Short mmCIF file of all heavy atoms in Angstrom, two decimals:
data_model
loop_
_atom_site.label_atom_id
_atom_site.label_comp_id
_atom_site.label_asym_id
_atom_site.label_seq_id
_atom_site.Cartn_x
_atom_site.Cartn_y
_atom_site.Cartn_z
N GLY M 37 8.78 6.93 -14.66
CA GLY M 37 8.33 5.69 -15.28
C GLY M 37 9.31 5.18 -16.29
O GLY M 37 10.18 5.91 -16.77
N SER M 46 0.27 10.02 -26.94
CA SER M 46 -0.91 10.71 -26.42
C SER M 46 -1.27 10.21 -25.03
O SER M 46 -1.96 10.89 -24.28
CB SER M 46 -2.09 10.54 -27.38
OG SER M 46 -2.46 9.20 -27.50
N ALA M 69 8.34 4.02 -3.73
CA ALA M 69 7.48 2.88 -4.06
C ALA M 69 7.57 2.62 -5.56
O ALA M 69 7.85 3.53 -6.34
CB ALA M 69 6.04 3.15 -3.65
N TYR M 72 3.80 -1.86 -10.48
CA TYR M 72 4.00 -2.79 -11.59
C TYR M 72 2.65 -3.42 -11.97
O TYR M 72 1.68 -3.34 -11.20
CB TYR M 72 5.00 -3.89 -11.21
CG TYR M 72 4.50 -4.83 -10.14
CD1 TYR M 72 3.94 -6.06 -10.47
CD2 TYR M 72 4.55 -4.48 -8.79
CE1 TYR M 72 3.46 -6.92 -9.49
CE2 TYR M 72 4.07 -5.32 -7.81
CZ TYR M 72 3.53 -6.55 -8.15
OH TYR M 72 3.03 -7.39 -7.19
N MET M 89 16.32 -3.66 -2.44
CA MET M 89 16.45 -2.46 -1.61
C MET M 89 15.27 -2.29 -0.64
O MET M 89 15.19 -1.30 0.07
CB MET M 89 16.54 -1.22 -2.52
CG MET M 89 17.76 -1.20 -3.42
SD MET M 89 17.85 0.30 -4.44
CE MET M 89 18.09 1.56 -3.17
N SER M 105 -11.21 3.41 -3.26
CA SER M 105 -11.81 3.40 -1.91
C SER M 105 -11.97 4.81 -1.32
O SER M 105 -12.72 4.99 -0.36
CB SER M 105 -10.95 2.55 -0.97
OG SER M 105 -9.69 3.18 -0.73
N GLY M 231 -31.37 -5.83 -21.05
CA GLY M 231 -31.37 -6.82 -22.11
C GLY M 231 -32.24 -6.43 -23.28
O GLY M 231 -32.97 -5.44 -23.24
N GLY M 270 -22.00 -0.82 -34.69
CA GLY M 270 -22.03 -2.08 -33.97
C GLY M 270 -23.29 -2.30 -33.16
O GLY M 270 -23.65 -1.49 -32.31
N LYS M 302 -18.95 9.75 -29.51
CA LYS M 302 -18.30 9.48 -30.79
C LYS M 302 -17.43 8.22 -30.77
O LYS M 302 -16.79 7.89 -31.75
CB LYS M 302 -17.42 10.67 -31.20
CG LYS M 302 -18.18 11.99 -31.38
CD LYS M 302 -19.22 11.90 -32.48
CE LYS M 302 -19.70 13.27 -32.93
NZ LYS M 302 -20.14 14.15 -31.84
N ALA M 321 -9.74 0.76 -37.98
CA ALA M 321 -9.08 -0.09 -36.99
C ALA M 321 -10.07 -0.47 -35.91
O ALA M 321 -10.91 0.32 -35.51
CB ALA M 321 -7.88 0.63 -36.37
N GLN M 347 -4.30 -9.46 -36.52
CA GLN M 347 -3.10 -9.82 -35.76
C GLN M 347 -3.53 -10.52 -34.46
O GLN M 347 -4.12 -9.90 -33.59
CB GLN M 347 -2.28 -8.58 -35.42
CG GLN M 347 -1.01 -8.89 -34.63
CD GLN M 347 -0.33 -7.63 -34.12
OE1 GLN M 347 -0.97 -6.78 -33.50
NE2 GLN M 347 0.96 -7.50 -34.38
N HIS M 349 -3.47 -11.91 -30.73
CA HIS M 349 -2.92 -11.30 -29.51
C HIS M 349 -2.66 -12.39 -28.48
O HIS M 349 -3.59 -12.94 -27.91
CB HIS M 349 -3.90 -10.26 -28.96
CG HIS M 349 -3.34 -9.44 -27.84
ND1 HIS M 349 -3.49 -9.80 -26.53
CD2 HIS M 349 -2.63 -8.28 -27.84
CE1 HIS M 349 -2.91 -8.89 -25.74
NE2 HIS M 349 -2.38 -7.96 -26.51
N LYS M 355 -4.09 -20.40 -29.00
CA LYS M 355 -4.03 -21.85 -28.81
C LYS M 355 -5.31 -22.37 -28.14
O LYS M 355 -5.91 -23.35 -28.59
CB LYS M 355 -2.81 -22.20 -27.97
CG LYS M 355 -2.60 -23.69 -27.73
CD LYS M 355 -1.32 -23.91 -26.94
CE LYS M 355 -1.08 -25.39 -26.67
NZ LYS M 355 0.21 -25.60 -25.94
N LYS M 399 -8.54 -26.10 -43.78
CA LYS M 399 -10.01 -26.10 -43.82
C LYS M 399 -10.55 -25.60 -45.16
O LYS M 399 -11.75 -25.47 -45.34
CB LYS M 399 -10.57 -25.25 -42.68
CG LYS M 399 -10.38 -25.87 -41.30
CD LYS M 399 -10.89 -24.97 -40.19
CE LYS M 399 -12.40 -24.94 -40.12
NZ LYS M 399 -12.97 -26.18 -39.61
N LEU M 430 -7.52 -5.43 -37.55
CA LEU M 430 -8.11 -6.04 -36.36
C LEU M 430 -7.04 -6.53 -35.40
O LEU M 430 -6.08 -7.19 -35.82
CB LEU M 430 -8.98 -7.24 -36.75
CG LEU M 430 -10.28 -6.99 -37.52
CD1 LEU M 430 -10.76 -8.26 -38.18
CD2 LEU M 430 -11.35 -6.45 -36.57
N TYR M 436 -2.23 -1.65 -34.76
CA TYR M 436 -2.74 -0.28 -34.82
C TYR M 436 -1.64 0.69 -35.24
O TYR M 436 -1.85 1.57 -36.07
CB TYR M 436 -3.31 0.09 -33.45
CG TYR M 436 -3.96 1.45 -33.35
CD1 TYR M 436 -5.10 1.75 -34.09
CD2 TYR M 436 -3.47 2.42 -32.48
CE1 TYR M 436 -5.73 2.98 -33.97
CE2 TYR M 436 -4.08 3.65 -32.36
CZ TYR M 436 -5.22 3.93 -33.10
OH TYR M 436 -5.83 5.15 -32.99
N SER M 446 1.81 6.48 -46.84
CA SER M 446 1.06 6.51 -48.10
C SER M 446 0.64 7.92 -48.46
O SER M 446 0.67 8.31 -49.64
CB SER M 446 -0.17 5.61 -47.98
OG SER M 446 0.20 4.27 -47.76
#
Side-chain angles (χ1 to χ4, degrees):
S46 63
Y72 67 98
M89 297 181 66
S105 68
K302 299 299 196 309
Q347 181 189 50
H349 188 268
K355 182 178 180 178
K399 289 177 74 72
L430 291 162
Y436 184 63
S446 298

